[in-house]
Amino acid sequence: MSPCAAGHILHGDEGRVYLCIWEERYQICPEDLGMLFFVGDHVPLMKKGPALQVYQISGLVYLSPSGQAVIIAIDKQRYMVPRARLLAVALGEEASCDFFEMPEENSDIEIISPHKEGATS
């Protein structure tokens, strides 16, 4: 996990939200923002494809189980931003906000193994 921001979210034209993650640029469409915030659906994270006007799905965006954060999933990497901050950017109340990497969900078996250094079974 990086101690610095992994990227930032920008208010875009026509109701879009742009995400800049490590030199890559993604977007969430306005109709998908409604489904995310008000229905709680998983929505696609879009990225420009090889052709200029073609977008392809590059990840998913969804609410955390508590509903207080938005999770951005690209392959195995996860990022998180507070729901209120993303909503403020989407509505144009804030120009941008930062988000951060989430720690990996898989724990290292060596750390939790009960059979290390004298532990009895």
Side-chain angles (χ1 to χ4, degrees):
M1 187 171 94
S2 174
C4 60
H8 54 276
I9 300 171
L10 303 166
H11 178 74
D13 57 343
E14 300 176 6
R16 288 181 176 83
V17 171
Y18 294 103
L19 292 91
C20 300
I21 305 172
W22 306 123
E23 309 294 326
E24 298 289 334
R25 189 171 176 129
Y26 302 89
Q27 74 174 12
I28 305 172
C29 298
E31 57 274 6
D32 292 333
L33 287 168
M35 295 301 289
L36 172 68
F37 290 125
F38 304 114
V39 179
D41 279 353
H42 287 56
V43 298
L45 183 64
M46 306 299 286
K47 181 179 175 185
K48 275 193 179 178
L52 292 177
Q53 298 300 320
V54 177
Y55 285 86
Q56 59 190 24
I57 297 173
S58 294
L60 288 176
V61 181
Y62 55 93
L63 292 175
S64 68
S66 70
Q68 298 299 311
V70 175
I71 310 299
I72 303 158
I74 302 172
D75 295 324
K76 292 184 179 183
Q77 185 59 53
R78 304 285 181 266
Y79 304 94
M80 183 170 56
V81 62
R83 180 185 180 273
R85 296 292 309 273
L86 180 59
L87 186 57
V89 172
L91 295 174
E93 296 171 358
E94 291 184 30
S96 68
C97 69
D98 292 336
F99 58 92
F100 298 87
E101 287 184 59
M102 290 179 58
E104 292 183 23
E105 293 179 10
N106 299 338
S107 55
D108 188 2
I109 195 67
E110 292 295 319
I111 295 173
I112 60 173
S113 177
H115 300 289
K116 286 183 79 174
E117 299 187 17
T120 60
S121 52

